[in-house]
Amino acid sequence: MNPERPLHAVLFDMDGTLVDTEGLWWEAVEQVAGRPLTDADRPDVLGRPVEHTAAWLAAEDGGGGGRGAEVLAAELHREFADRVRAGVVPRPGALDLLTALAGEGVPTALVTASPRAVADTVVAALTALGAPGFTVTVTADDTATTKPEPEPYLAACAALGVEPARCVAVEDTPTGVASAEAAGCAVLAVPSVTPIAPAPGRTVRDGLTGVTPEFLTGLTQRQLTVMSWNLWLGGGLVEDYRAKQLAVLRTSGADVVGFQETGRLATQELAAELGWHHHTAGENLGILSRHPVVARLGDPEVGFYGAAGVRIRIDETGREVDVWTAHLHYTPYGPYESAFDGLPAEELIAHEEIRLAQIQDTLARIAKEAGEGGRSVVLVGDFNAPSHLDRPDVPWPVTKAAEAAGLRDSYREAHPDPVRDPGHTWSPIHPVHPEEGPHAGAPEPQDRIDFVLHNAHGLRTLTSRTLVTGTPSPWPDFAANEWPSDHAAVVTTFAL
């Protein structure tokens, strides 16, 4: 697989998408239920795992005939498998598309809520009809949860070693679409029974006839993946750092990367290796972009702290996005003052005045460049300050200022619960406090101080995650680490 190719894989639902088995499943459920099904039954029958439909039948008044869900599930499996073995009919265009993807070397996965025994039967029937095999098959037997949860699609992407944002999922039901979108995939919906409306990151067609690899590639290009990464003084503290930085960038799925601590040379050298567009500002800030840079924003001679931006052109339609990177002063550091010194909220807030002034200056520059036209804006950076969304006991002013300016926190949009998903970016190599003094060796406050923010003008967060490769050895034995930084990166994919 070529990591530079916009389309990394295509993930197919099975029933109703590749093969006309929805009718067979409907017949099987009617047989087990002992009555004709109606439109009111569709939400519990189509796009659902066998166990859901069995539990629904068991709970239905008289519908289960006194049989338990386990017995009903076995009957549904048997009735459906018998019908599948009697003959599978591919949906129009399905075999042509699978063959074309194989010819282009694009990996494919089958992602189904059916059990493996049924999926294997269908795959064998498709192979007998001339379809190429799937690289990966994920069934209801392979994950703890199934559609509409994202786990099946995430499992398929993990098995393929690809970013969900670079994949297209092909689905025919709202349940499957919800699963794929929650995983962060672009979606091609080909409704078989239930109507599906278009939405950002989702394209709807009547069927697969005429769908080509080129068309699917275009669907992934309607997304923008933005990464924030502090390079840790350019990366030179880690062995073979430039090669390691390139490896991270090539596998991250990022289209645009905002750097902090570039060591002056990192942005230019990485851009030259990747063949990407770039902008450098001062000694510390830089931006890489797969897309053309049509304007450079902010002060090009900005100091070590501050912000710089670019305007990138996404596609031939002229769609443009302003992307800014910011680095705010590191001291006094609020998490230390909270954890080590026990300062109350009002003192912590008062000590944020330097960073608050810096973010206010950044926000003013962003607003001036964006103007009144509703331009799409993304701001990334190492703010050296926690978020008020993570620590409600302290209304941390830096992130509150960004929020007041209309910027949304993409990581918290994707992961609303800070307890379950803390998203720590400081620090993958500092489990204990590294500095000399009374707190040396104490547990290092882990916190989320790196951000990807956006103004929601034509941007919708699909996925957001922190990124660290390998298992970094802690300070001071970090020189051989695969991960060449002391921060985790943040990677967010937006639907355009």
Side-chain angles (χ1 to χ4, degrees), residues 232 235-241 244 429 469-485:
W232 193 16
L237 297 173
V238 175
E239 298 166 358
D240 201 18
Y241 62 95
K244 292 175 180 178
I429 67 166
T469 56
T471 305
S473 296
W475 179 286
D477 301 318
F478 55 79
N481 282 348
E482 177 185 337
W483 182 250
S485 177

PDB file of all heavy atoms in Angstrom, residues 232 235-241 244 429 469-485:
ATOM      1  N   TRP A 232      10.074  19.110  19.796  1.00  0.00           N
ATOM      2  CA  TRP A 232      11.061  19.023  20.872  1.00  0.00           C
ATOM      3  C   TRP A 232      12.431  19.525  20.403  1.00  0.00           C
ATOM      4  O   TRP A 232      13.340  18.755  20.158  1.00  0.00           O
ATOM      5  CB  TRP A 232      11.150  17.593  21.394  1.00  0.00           C
ATOM      6  CG  TRP A 232      11.886  17.465  22.691  1.00  0.00           C
ATOM      7  CD1 TRP A 232      12.204  18.451  23.561  1.00  0.00           C
ATOM      8  CD2 TRP A 232      12.402  16.245  23.270  1.00  0.00           C
ATOM      9  NE1 TRP A 232      12.873  17.949  24.647  1.00  0.00           N
ATOM     10  CE2 TRP A 232      13.002  16.595  24.498  1.00  0.00           C
ATOM     11  CE3 TRP A 232      12.393  14.922  22.883  1.00  0.00           C
ATOM     12  CZ2 TRP A 232      13.601  15.642  25.329  1.00  0.00           C
ATOM     13  CZ3 TRP A 232      12.978  13.982  23.706  1.00  0.00           C
ATOM     14  CH2 TRP A 232      13.582  14.328  24.904  1.00  0.00           C
ATOM     15  N   GLY A 235      13.926  17.979  17.387  1.00  0.00           N
ATOM     16  CA  GLY A 235      14.024  16.522  17.425  1.00  0.00           C
ATOM     17  C   GLY A 235      15.411  15.986  17.666  1.00  0.00           C
ATOM     18  O   GLY A 235      15.597  14.779  17.836  1.00  0.00           O
ATOM     19  N   GLY A 236      16.421  16.862  17.701  1.00  0.00           N
ATOM     20  CA  GLY A 236      17.804  16.411  17.709  1.00  0.00           C
ATOM     21  C   GLY A 236      18.261  15.677  18.943  1.00  0.00           C
ATOM     22  O   GLY A 236      19.372  15.134  18.956  1.00  0.00           O
ATOM     23  N   LEU A 237      17.452  15.625  19.991  1.00  0.00           N
ATOM     24  CA  LEU A 237      17.836  14.877  21.185  1.00  0.00           C
ATOM     25  C   LEU A 237      17.655  13.369  21.014  1.00  0.00           C
ATOM     26  O   LEU A 237      18.106  12.590  21.842  1.00  0.00           O
ATOM     27  CB  LEU A 237      17.024  15.365  22.387  1.00  0.00           C
ATOM     28  CG  LEU A 237      17.245  16.836  22.783  1.00  0.00           C
ATOM     29  CD1 LEU A 237      16.270  17.231  23.876  1.00  0.00           C
ATOM     30  CD2 LEU A 237      18.677  17.061  23.241  1.00  0.00           C
ATOM     31  N   VAL A 238      16.976  12.961  19.922  1.00  0.00           N
ATOM     32  CA  VAL A 238      16.706  11.547  19.661  1.00  0.00           C
ATOM     33  C   VAL A 238      17.527  11.091  18.455  1.00  0.00           C
ATOM     34  O   VAL A 238      17.667  11.818  17.470  1.00  0.00           O
ATOM     35  CB  VAL A 238      15.202  11.322  19.401  1.00  0.00           C
ATOM     36  CG1 VAL A 238      14.923   9.873  19.001  1.00  0.00           C
ATOM     37  CG2 VAL A 238      14.402  11.693  20.632  1.00  0.00           C
ATOM     38  N   GLU A 239      18.072   9.899  18.529  1.00  0.00           N
ATOM     39  CA  GLU A 239      18.882   9.359  17.437  1.00  0.00           C
ATOM     40  C   GLU A 239      18.062   9.223  16.154  1.00  0.00           C
ATOM     41  O   GLU A 239      16.903   8.806  16.193  1.00  0.00           O
ATOM     42  CB  GLU A 239      19.435   7.983  17.832  1.00  0.00           C
ATOM     43  CG  GLU A 239      20.348   8.007  19.051  1.00  0.00           C
ATOM     44  CD  GLU A 239      20.586   6.620  19.613  1.00  0.00           C
ATOM     45  OE1 GLU A 239      20.001   5.648  19.061  1.00  0.00           O
ATOM     46  OE2 GLU A 239      21.341   6.501  20.594  1.00  0.00           O
ATOM     47  N   ASP A 240      18.684   9.571  15.020  1.00  0.00           N
ATOM     48  CA  ASP A 240      18.062   9.409  13.701  1.00  0.00           C
ATOM     49  C   ASP A 240      16.695  10.089  13.658  1.00  0.00           C
ATOM     50  O   ASP A 240      15.732   9.575  13.091  1.00  0.00           O
ATOM     51  CB  ASP A 240      17.925   7.918  13.388  1.00  0.00           C
ATOM     52  CG  ASP A 240      17.789   7.645  11.888  1.00  0.00           C
ATOM     53  OD1 ASP A 240      18.146   8.539  11.086  1.00  0.00           O
ATOM     54  OD2 ASP A 240      17.315   6.559  11.532  1.00  0.00           O
ATOM     55  N   TYR A 241      16.636  11.263  14.265  1.00  0.00           N
ATOM     56  CA  TYR A 241      15.346  11.926  14.496  1.00  0.00           C
ATOM     57  C   TYR A 241      14.622  12.303  13.220  1.00  0.00           C
ATOM     58  O   TYR A 241      13.404  12.210  13.150  1.00  0.00           O
ATOM     59  CB  TYR A 241      15.543  13.166  15.375  1.00  0.00           C
ATOM     60  CG  TYR A 241      16.430  14.233  14.779  1.00  0.00           C
ATOM     61  CD1 TYR A 241      15.895  15.305  14.089  1.00  0.00           C
ATOM     62  CD2 TYR A 241      17.808  14.163  14.937  1.00  0.00           C
ATOM     63  CE1 TYR A 241      16.704  16.284  13.549  1.00  0.00           C
ATOM     64  CE2 TYR A 241      18.626  15.136  14.402  1.00  0.00           C
ATOM     65  CZ  TYR A 241      18.083  16.194  13.708  1.00  0.00           C
ATOM     66  OH  TYR A 241      18.882  17.161  13.171  1.00  0.00           O
ATOM     67  N   LYS A 244      12.848   9.381  11.745  1.00  0.00           N
ATOM     68  CA  LYS A 244      11.721   9.003  12.596  1.00  0.00           C
ATOM     69  C   LYS A 244      10.568   9.987  12.430  1.00  0.00           C
ATOM     70  O   LYS A 244       9.392   9.582  12.431  1.00  0.00           O
ATOM     71  CB  LYS A 244      12.173   8.918  14.044  1.00  0.00           C
ATOM     72  CG  LYS A 244      13.132   7.756  14.305  1.00  0.00           C
ATOM     73  CD  LYS A 244      13.684   7.753  15.723  1.00  0.00           C
ATOM     74  CE  LYS A 244      14.627   6.563  15.928  1.00  0.00           C
ATOM     75  NZ  LYS A 244      15.229   6.547  17.280  1.00  0.00           N
ATOM     76  N   ILE A 429       7.262  10.780  27.805  1.00  0.00           N
ATOM     77  CA  ILE A 429       8.567  10.329  28.334  1.00  0.00           C
ATOM     78  C   ILE A 429       8.819  10.817  29.760  1.00  0.00           C
ATOM     79  O   ILE A 429       9.915  10.629  30.288  1.00  0.00           O
ATOM     80  CB  ILE A 429       9.731  10.753  27.424  1.00  0.00           C
ATOM     81  CG1 ILE A 429       9.907  12.270  27.429  1.00  0.00           C
ATOM     82  CG2 ILE A 429       9.546  10.217  26.016  1.00  0.00           C
ATOM     83  CD1 ILE A 429      11.237  12.701  26.834  1.00  0.00           C
ATOM     84  N   THR A 469       4.095   6.872  18.660  1.00  0.00           N
ATOM     85  CA  THR A 469       4.475   5.587  18.069  1.00  0.00           C
ATOM     86  C   THR A 469       5.453   4.860  18.984  1.00  0.00           C
ATOM     87  O   THR A 469       6.272   5.477  19.664  1.00  0.00           O
ATOM     88  CB  THR A 469       5.116   5.780  16.687  1.00  0.00           C
ATOM     89  OG1 THR A 469       6.233   6.654  16.795  1.00  0.00           O
ATOM     90  CG2 THR A 469       4.113   6.382  15.720  1.00  0.00           C
ATOM     91  N   GLY A 470       5.361   3.539  18.953  1.00  0.00           N
ATOM     92  CA  GLY A 470       6.231   2.736  19.788  1.00  0.00           C
ATOM     93  C   GLY A 470       5.878   2.865  21.264  1.00  0.00           C
ATOM     94  O   GLY A 470       4.817   3.371  21.634  1.00  0.00           O
ATOM     95  N   THR A 471       6.780   2.409  22.104  1.00  0.00           N
ATOM     96  CA  THR A 471       6.641   2.531  23.557  1.00  0.00           C
ATOM     97  C   THR A 471       7.847   3.303  24.061  1.00  0.00           C
ATOM     98  O   THR A 471       8.919   2.726  24.303  1.00  0.00           O
ATOM     99  CB  THR A 471       6.565   1.148  24.232  1.00  0.00           C
ATOM    100  OG1 THR A 471       5.507   0.397  23.649  1.00  0.00           O
ATOM    101  CG2 THR A 471       6.333   1.288  25.731  1.00  0.00           C
ATOM    102  N   PRO A 472       7.724   4.610  24.185  1.00  0.00           N
ATOM    103  CA  PRO A 472       8.894   5.426  24.532  1.00  0.00           C
ATOM    104  C   PRO A 472       9.480   5.068  25.894  1.00  0.00           C
ATOM    105  O   PRO A 472       8.747   4.867  26.868  1.00  0.00           O
ATOM    106  CB  PRO A 472       8.342   6.856  24.537  1.00  0.00           C
ATOM    107  CG  PRO A 472       7.094   6.799  23.720  1.00  0.00           C
ATOM    108  CD  PRO A 472       6.522   5.429  23.955  1.00  0.00           C
ATOM    109  N   SER A 473      10.808   4.986  25.940  1.00  0.00           N
ATOM    110  CA  SER A 473      11.493   4.844  27.219  1.00  0.00           C
ATOM    111  C   SER A 473      11.506   6.194  27.913  1.00  0.00           C
ATOM    112  O   SER A 473      11.643   7.236  27.268  1.00  0.00           O
ATOM    113  CB  SER A 473      12.927   4.349  27.010  1.00  0.00           C
ATOM    114  OG  SER A 473      12.938   3.056  26.456  1.00  0.00           O
ATOM    115  N   PRO A 474      11.370   6.208  29.232  1.00  0.00           N
ATOM    116  CA  PRO A 474      11.284   7.490  29.940  1.00  0.00           C
ATOM    117  C   PRO A 474      12.632   8.197  30.047  1.00  0.00           C
ATOM    118  O   PRO A 474      13.690   7.584  29.879  1.00  0.00           O
ATOM    119  CB  PRO A 474      10.756   7.086  31.319  1.00  0.00           C
ATOM    120  CG  PRO A 474      11.219   5.674  31.505  1.00  0.00           C
ATOM    121  CD  PRO A 474      11.179   5.055  30.137  1.00  0.00           C
ATOM    122  N   TRP A 475      12.541   9.477  30.312  1.00  0.00           N
ATOM    123  CA  TRP A 475      13.707  10.296  30.619  1.00  0.00           C
ATOM    124  C   TRP A 475      14.509   9.630  31.752  1.00  0.00           C
ATOM    125  O   TRP A 475      13.919   9.116  32.686  1.00  0.00           O
ATOM    126  CB  TRP A 475      13.191  11.671  31.059  1.00  0.00           C
ATOM    127  CG  TRP A 475      14.248  12.644  31.438  1.00  0.00           C
ATOM    128  CD1 TRP A 475      15.005  12.661  32.568  1.00  0.00           C
ATOM    129  CD2 TRP A 475      14.673  13.765  30.668  1.00  0.00           C
ATOM    130  NE1 TRP A 475      15.871  13.709  32.572  1.00  0.00           N
ATOM    131  CE2 TRP A 475      15.690  14.411  31.420  1.00  0.00           C
ATOM    132  CE3 TRP A 475      14.296  14.292  29.443  1.00  0.00           C
ATOM    133  CZ2 TRP A 475      16.326  15.562  30.946  1.00  0.00           C
ATOM    134  CZ3 TRP A 475      14.933  15.424  28.985  1.00  0.00           C
ATOM    135  CH2 TRP A 475      15.938  16.054  29.729  1.00  0.00           C
ATOM    136  N   PRO A 476      15.837   9.579  31.650  1.00  0.00           N
ATOM    137  CA  PRO A 476      16.698  10.191  30.627  1.00  0.00           C
ATOM    138  C   PRO A 476      17.125   9.229  29.524  1.00  0.00           C
ATOM    139  O   PRO A 476      18.002   9.552  28.732  1.00  0.00           O
ATOM    140  CB  PRO A 476      17.906  10.622  31.461  1.00  0.00           C
ATOM    141  CG  PRO A 476      18.026   9.540  32.492  1.00  0.00           C
ATOM    142  CD  PRO A 476      16.621   9.126  32.830  1.00  0.00           C
ATOM    143  N   ASP A 477      16.501   8.045  29.465  1.00  0.00           N
ATOM    144  CA  ASP A 477      16.939   7.019  28.504  1.00  0.00           C
ATOM    145  C   ASP A 477      16.094   7.053  27.240  1.00  0.00           C
ATOM    146  O   ASP A 477      15.551   6.041  26.791  1.00  0.00           O
ATOM    147  CB  ASP A 477      16.868   5.638  29.161  1.00  0.00           C
ATOM    148  CG  ASP A 477      17.722   5.541  30.405  1.00  0.00           C
ATOM    149  OD1 ASP A 477      18.856   6.052  30.378  1.00  0.00           O
ATOM    150  OD2 ASP A 477      17.244   4.974  31.405  1.00  0.00           O
ATOM    151  N   PHE A 478      15.966   8.235  26.635  1.00  0.00           N
ATOM    152  CA  PHE A 478      15.041   8.439  25.526  1.00  0.00           C
ATOM    153  C   PHE A 478      15.709   8.461  24.152  1.00  0.00           C
ATOM    154  O   PHE A 478      15.023   8.494  23.134  1.00  0.00           O
ATOM    155  CB  PHE A 478      14.311   9.771  25.707  1.00  0.00           C
ATOM    156  CG  PHE A 478      15.242  10.942  25.872  1.00  0.00           C
ATOM    157  CD1 PHE A 478      15.873  11.516  24.784  1.00  0.00           C
ATOM    158  CD2 PHE A 478      15.509  11.460  27.134  1.00  0.00           C
ATOM    159  CE1 PHE A 478      16.744  12.567  24.938  1.00  0.00           C
ATOM    160  CE2 PHE A 478      16.384  12.518  27.293  1.00  0.00           C
ATOM    161  CZ  PHE A 478      17.010  13.078  26.193  1.00  0.00           C
ATOM    162  N   ALA A 479      17.036   8.439  24.090  1.00  0.00           N
ATOM    163  CA  ALA A 479      17.727   8.718  22.828  1.00  0.00           C
ATOM    164  C   ALA A 479      17.365   7.739  21.720  1.00  0.00           C
ATOM    165  O   ALA A 479      17.326   8.113  20.536  1.00  0.00           O
ATOM    166  CB  ALA A 479      19.238   8.722  23.044  1.00  0.00           C
ATOM    167  N   ALA A 480      17.090   6.491  22.059  1.00  0.00           N
ATOM    168  CA  ALA A 480      16.780   5.479  21.040  1.00  0.00           C
ATOM    169  C   ALA A 480      15.284   5.349  20.778  1.00  0.00           C
ATOM    170  O   ALA A 480      14.868   4.481  20.004  1.00  0.00           O
ATOM    171  CB  ALA A 480      17.350   4.135  21.455  1.00  0.00           C
ATOM    172  N   ASN A 481      14.450   6.202  21.376  1.00  0.00           N
ATOM    173  CA  ASN A 481      13.001   6.071  21.215  1.00  0.00           C
ATOM    174  C   ASN A 481      12.583   6.166  19.752  1.00  0.00           C
ATOM    175  O   ASN A 481      13.147   6.956  18.981  1.00  0.00           O
ATOM    176  CB  ASN A 481      12.269   7.168  22.001  1.00  0.00           C
ATOM    177  CG  ASN A 481      12.186   6.875  23.484  1.00  0.00           C
ATOM    178  OD1 ASN A 481      12.481   5.764  23.915  1.00  0.00           O
ATOM    179  ND2 ASN A 481      11.787   7.858  24.264  1.00  0.00           N
ATOM    180  N   GLU A 482      11.575   5.371  19.415  1.00  0.00           N
ATOM    181  CA  GLU A 482      10.962   5.492  18.086  1.00  0.00           C
ATOM    182  C   GLU A 482      10.230   6.818  17.959  1.00  0.00           C
ATOM    183  O   GLU A 482      10.194   7.427  16.889  1.00  0.00           O
ATOM    184  CB  GLU A 482       9.993   4.334  17.872  1.00  0.00           C
ATOM    185  CG  GLU A 482       9.230   4.382  16.562  1.00  0.00           C
ATOM    186  CD  GLU A 482       8.196   3.277  16.452  1.00  0.00           C
ATOM    187  OE1 GLU A 482       8.349   2.245  17.139  1.00  0.00           O
ATOM    188  OE2 GLU A 482       7.220   3.453  15.690  1.00  0.00           O
ATOM    189  N   TRP A 483       9.627   7.271  19.064  1.00  0.00           N
ATOM    190  CA  TRP A 483       8.897   8.533  19.079  1.00  0.00           C
ATOM    191  C   TRP A 483       9.872   9.669  19.384  1.00  0.00           C
ATOM    192  O   TRP A 483      10.421   9.739  20.486  1.00  0.00           O
ATOM    193  CB  TRP A 483       7.789   8.489  20.113  1.00  0.00           C
ATOM    194  CG  TRP A 483       6.952   9.736  20.162  1.00  0.00           C
ATOM    195  CD1 TRP A 483       6.925  10.661  21.150  1.00  0.00           C
ATOM    196  CD2 TRP A 483       6.021  10.184  19.171  1.00  0.00           C
ATOM    197  NE1 TRP A 483       6.037  11.672  20.850  1.00  0.00           N
ATOM    198  CE2 TRP A 483       5.473  11.399  19.630  1.00  0.00           C
ATOM    199  CE3 TRP A 483       5.610   9.687  17.938  1.00  0.00           C
ATOM    200  CZ2 TRP A 483       4.531  12.115  18.907  1.00  0.00           C
ATOM    201  CZ3 TRP A 483       4.666  10.395  17.214  1.00  0.00           C
ATOM    202  CH2 TRP A 483       4.142  11.590  17.690  1.00  0.00           C
ATOM    203  N   PRO A 484      10.077  10.614  18.442  1.00  0.00           N
ATOM    204  CA  PRO A 484      11.152  11.597  18.600  1.00  0.00           C
ATOM    205  C   PRO A 484      10.706  12.905  19.240  1.00  0.00           C
ATOM    206  O   PRO A 484      11.092  13.989  18.803  1.00  0.00           O
ATOM    207  CB  PRO A 484      11.595  11.824  17.152  1.00  0.00           C
ATOM    208  CG  PRO A 484      10.333  11.690  16.361  1.00  0.00           C
ATOM    209  CD  PRO A 484       9.514  10.640  17.084  1.00  0.00           C
ATOM    210  N   SER A 485       9.861  12.844  20.261  1.00  0.00           N
ATOM    211  CA  SER A 485       9.357  14.058  20.892  1.00  0.00           C
ATOM    212  C   SER A 485       9.052  13.795  22.353  1.00  0.00           C
ATOM    213  O   SER A 485       8.953  12.638  22.783  1.00  0.00           O
ATOM    214  CB  SER A 485       8.094  14.557  20.175  1.00  0.00           C
ATOM    215  OG  SER A 485       7.556  15.695  20.822  1.00  0.00           O
TER     216      SER A 485
END
